[in-house]
Amino acid sequence: MATNEMTGAEMVLKALQDQGVDTVFGYPGGAVLPIYDEIFQQEKVEHILVRHEQGATHAAEGYARSTGKCGVVLVTSGPGATNAVTGLTDALLDSIPMVCITGQVPTHLIGSDAFQECDTVGITRPCTKHNYLVKDVNDLARILHEAFYVATHGRPGPVVVDIPKDVQFAKGRYVGPKNIEHKTYRPQVKADQNAIRAAVELIATAKRPILYTGGGVINSGPTASKLLRDFVEMTNIPITSTLMGLGAYPASGKNWLGMLGMHGMYEANMAMHDCDVMICVGARFDDRITGRLNAFSPNSKKIHIDIDPSSINKTVRVDVPIVADVAHALEDMIRVWKAKSVTLDKKALDTWWKQIDGWRAKDCLKYRKNADVIMPQYAVERLYELTKDKNAYITTEVGQHQMWAAQFYRFEEPNRWMTSGGLGTMGYGLPAAVGVQQAHPDALVIDIAGDASVLMTMQEMSTAIQYELPIKIFILNNQYMGMVRQWQQLLHGNRLSHSYTEALPDFVKLAEAYGCVGMRATKPGELDDAIREMIKVKRPVIFDCRVANLANCFPMIPSGKAHNEMILGEDVADEDVGSVIDAKGKMLV
């Protein structure tokens, strides 16, 4: 027998090892038992047993986002695969590299409605970058290596490899990853130099320029973030970012305008609206950024750098499209800028900065401070101040707490911020924190959570306990689905239809039931000491931070409005909110 002949299950482990994989997040079942048997017999790849397949995908996302590597998931057929669909979709929309290996019933049973059978390829086709059904063991190794290539090249994304059980048992010839590429997928990495020159020439004419950056900068790697900072320093152009791009440019940088979009900074959104040249770098003009499309940055010329050609002109027409990897494009722009000795109109740029400083003076994040209750904004501010020197990794769930985290936690480096942007998945943050902590065992990892979101994947605290992952779950507990409640309050006549989260567990007792540490703060004066204690504990912690029940998240661009139609907190008086009625007709305020 040839030395490179092995079973399909052996090929899976060999391929993972050859791809440099050190961690797999998964949950066993009948259709993947041959692979789990091989996991048992080796020590190079660590398997993290999650408590739900959705948790495996989010943990792999957190691992990938914090390391730049590809996350790997292993689940069984049928419900195992369907439970992974939410995380696959989340990874697709946020461009997270992931390979998800799913078990399948034996090939002769496919299509027979066998036990735990589903059409995994059909189900996951809309929510993956690519997927495969392996019918011949001799194709398996090549397909596995292709899957990693597709997941990590071009715009990253999730790839599913569906492996029937008989293929896992069958023997075939293993091939290594050398020179394995997808037959037709060849993403364009280097920019067209004519487009680069056109972009530089357009920027040189700008009187009111702005850099609009996104998660593509971070996906491109640390070199891209460094080049972005160099370009800003060289040009003195103001810079803003999407939710997914936070940290690519430091929040302490003098050119930083803060996040833009629905809950972005007033100065960032106003500058976006009034700019004359927009340089979009690694972002895709999604609806949370643009607001009403026909009023989006109406008088600007637009440059768009994106590695995904399908993103160019999909939503917003641009004047200079550049299909390329962000790092390559920025490197070329800097080189051309220097070679041509380009300078911007200093007088016009000074005037632009004075206008921006006027918008900054609005202090759009100011909030009502109350000595008797912890305001959620204050909680995040204190969390930031007490952890900013610890190089912390922050994950979030989805809702008001997510936006407050983006507004008040100031990121200085890329890959420190893990959140669900495109899909907005409640329950993302806790398992993502598990993945981040597994990748960075000695780091401080905090999930800024909401009381409603965190319960969706709370079972993953068992994973954290089992693998001694000291994640901190910092719950801004307002006893509501806060963002739903805010929209109902402002847009649906104050009728709180099923957004009041009654019957919440006692989170401290729940923590103790899981075998971790439970903590609570109810007054502002308790907060700092409690946060310090949370940081000091070297075990998983659930921190119940009781915050103001009806605080709203501002600024806010209402749905269907333009950037210059933002609502600030000062614009919404108490009388505009009025009495709030819950689903049972109870008056709450």
Side-chain angles (χ1 to χ4, degrees):
M1 183 173 66
T3 57
N4 61 346
E5 187 172 80
M6 56 185 72
T7 67
E10 289 174 318
M11 287 184 190
V12 172
L13 269 296
K14 176 63 173 168
L16 294 180
Q17 292 167 13
D18 286 350
Q19 289 289 338
V21 173
D22 55 27
T23 305
V24 172
F25 302 91
Y27 201 96
V32 283
L33 288 184
I35 299 173
Y36 272 88
D37 192 44
E38 292 302 324
I39 289 174
F40 185 84
Q41 299 178 64
Q42 57 81 56
E43 296 180 348
K44 292 183 179 178
V45 178
E46 183 175 8
H47 178 276
I48 302 297
L49 175 65
V50 297
R51 275 28 182 195
H52 190 284
E53 291 87 354
Q54 181 182 346
T57 54
H58 294 327
E61 286 186 275
Y63 177 96
R65 188 73 174 174
S66 66
T67 62
K69 300 178 183 178
C70 186
V72 181
V73 172
L74 176 61
V75 298
T76 194
S77 63
T82 57
N83 280 347
V85 164
T86 297
L88 291 169
T89 310
D90 195 276
L92 181 70
L93 289 177
D94 285 347
S95 305
I96 307 300
M98 181 194 299
V99 171
C100 179
I101 299 168
T102 60
Q104 185 54 275
V105 300
T107 51
H108 69 278
L109 290 179
I110 292 176
S112 70
D113 296 331
F115 176 68
Q116 289 196 330
E117 181 196 359
C118 73
D119 179 7
T120 299
V121 167
I123 289 169
T124 62
R125 184 172 288 118
C127 65
T128 55
K129 187 176 176 183
H130 196 58
N131 61 16
Y132 300 85
L133 172 61
V134 185
K135 294 184 177 180
D136 185 340
V137 69
N138 290 301
D139 292 330
L140 177 57
R142 172 186 57 80
I143 286 173
L144 286 165
H145 296 311
E146 274 189 18
F148 279 91
Y149 173 84
V150 172
T152 58
H153 285 69
R155 179 180 175 183
V159 177
V160 162
V161 181
D162 197 31
I163 312 175
K165 193 169 184 178
D166 58 324
V167 173
Q168 297 172 41
F169 279 122
K171 286 189 174 181
R173 185 171 177 273
Y174 178 80
V175 294
K178 188 177 181 181
N179 298 325
I180 294 237
E181 295 180 344
H182 194 273
K183 292 177 182 177
T184 57
Y185 182 56
R186 299 283 192 277
Q188 182 176 327
V189 174
K190 294 187 177 180
D192 177 88
Q193 293 305 298
N194 290 328
I196 292 291
R197 284 189 288 272
V200 169
E201 289 168 5
L202 179 55
I203 297 169
T205 69
K207 308 292 186 186
R208 302 183 306 280
I210 191 169
L211 272 157
Y212 153 40
T213 60
V217 181
I218 293 170
N219 285 340
S220 182
T223 299
S225 293
K226 181 183 182 304
L227 289 167
L228 177 67
R229 295 169 189 220
D230 290 346
F231 187 71
V232 173
E233 182 68 26
M234 187 173 66
T235 61
N236 196 30
I237 293 175
I239 178 170
T240 182
S241 166
T242 67
L243 182 72
M244 298 302 294
L246 295 176
Y249 183 83
S252 61
K254 65 182 179 65
N255 291 58
W256 179 238
L257 303 186
M259 182 179 73
L260 81 159
M262 179 170 282
H263 290 284
M265 301 291 283
Y266 180 73
E267 53 266 34
N269 283 325
M270 292 301 292
M272 195 73 146
H273 186 271
D274 284 4
C275 71
D276 65 349
V277 173
M278 176 200 303
I279 309 111
C280 176
V281 185
R284 57 187 175 87
F285 296 100
D286 72 279
D287 62 293
R288 291 287 156 137
I289 294 302
T290 62
R292 182 157 48 91
L293 269 175
N294 63 6
F296 172 66
S297 195
N299 300 311
S300 67
K301 298 285 187 180
K302 298 173 181 67
I303 299 162
H304 188 187
I305 302 171
D306 203 299
I307 199 165
D308 181 3
S310 70
S311 291
I312 303 287
N313 291 324
K314 180 172 73 175
T315 304
V316 172
R317 298 291 300 178
V318 299
D319 300 276
V320 182
I322 301 174
V323 178
D325 173 72
V326 165
H328 283 84
L330 286 174
E331 184 177 36
D332 288 344
M333 285 177 64
I334 290 171
R335 177 179 47 78
V336 172
W337 190 278
K338 289 180 177 177
K340 292 180 173 290
S341 299
V342 178
T343 56
L344 292 172
D345 183 332
K346 186 177 184 305
K347 184 177 179 182
L349 196 57
D350 287 345
T351 301
W352 180 225
W353 273 113
K354 285 178 183 176
Q355 174 65 74
I356 290 170
D357 287 340
W359 290 323
R360 278 176 168 164
K362 275 281 202 180
D363 190 15
C364 67
L365 294 184
K366 64 187 173 188
Y367 58 93
R368 298 172 189 173
K369 294 182 170 62
N370 188 316
D372 297 324
V373 66
I374 301 172
M375 296 301 289
Q377 301 94 323
Y378 178 76
V380 179
E381 280 185 323
R382 297 314 304 155
L383 183 68
Y384 167 70
E385 289 297 331
L386 294 169
T387 60
K388 65 182 179 182
D389 61 343
K390 301 185 183 301
N391 205 20
Y393 292 81
I394 303 296
T395 72
T396 76
E397 310 296 333
V398 168
Q400 285 180 319
H401 62 274
Q402 176 191 32
M403 295 297 106
W404 282 317
Q407 291 171 342
F408 289 94
Y409 203 101
R410 298 169 63 78
F411 295 93
E412 297 295 309
E413 300 293 335
N415 304 106
R416 297 297 186 277
W417 166 246
M418 277 59 63
T419 195
S420 174
L423 193 61
T425 306
M426 293 173 71
Y428 168 90
L430 197 164
V434 166
V436 175
Q437 192 78 76
Q438 173 64 21
H440 308 277
D442 298 324
L444 176 62
V445 180
I446 303 171
D447 172 29
I448 298 177
D451 52 279
S453 281
V454 76
L455 289 174
M456 291 198 167
T457 51
M458 179 58 78
Q459 66 272 10
E460 300 307 332
M461 287 306 296
S462 290
T463 307
I465 291 293
Q466 178 176 342
Y467 294 96
E468 299 180 346
L469 302 171
I471 59 175
K472 318 301 182 195
I473 311 303
F474 189 77
I475 303 172
L476 299 184
N477 184 356
N478 59 11
Q479 300 175 64
Y480 284 92
M481 300 175 203
M483 192 63 82
V484 174
R485 192 267 307 149
Q486 177 169 332
W487 281 52
Q488 288 173 335
Q489 218 176 329
L490 297 176
L491 304 174
H492 296 278
N494 302 327
R495 293 177 294 278
L496 304 195
S497 181
H498 301 281
S499 56
Y500 180 47
T501 50
E502 296 181 82
L504 283 173
D506 181 323
F507 284 110
V508 172
K509 289 182 179 178
L510 184 61
E512 294 166 355
Y514 273 111
C516 60
V517 176
M519 303 177 66
R520 179 176 292 121
T522 60
K523 300 292 182 184
E526 304 169 354
L527 195 54
D528 280 18
D529 287 344
I531 291 173
R532 290 190 186 99
E533 182 64 24
M534 178 188 76
I535 296 167
K536 191 187 304 181
V537 171
K538 301 305 179 186
R539 293 167 58 198
V541 174
I542 296 177
F543 188 118
D544 182 10
C545 184
R546 296 293 181 90
V547 299
N549 297 102
L550 298 174
N552 283 327
C553 184
F554 295 111
M556 176 182 177
I557 303 175
S559 183
K561 299 294 185 180
H563 282 166
N564 61 346
E565 298 175 291
M566 293 189 77
I567 298 175
L568 304 183
E570 64 193 30
D571 299 328
V572 183
D574 291 337
E575 57 267 23
D576 295 326
V577 175
S579 298
V580 179
I581 308 298
D582 73 4
K584 297 179 180 178
K586 178 183 175 184
M587 185 175 292
L588 300 173
V589 296

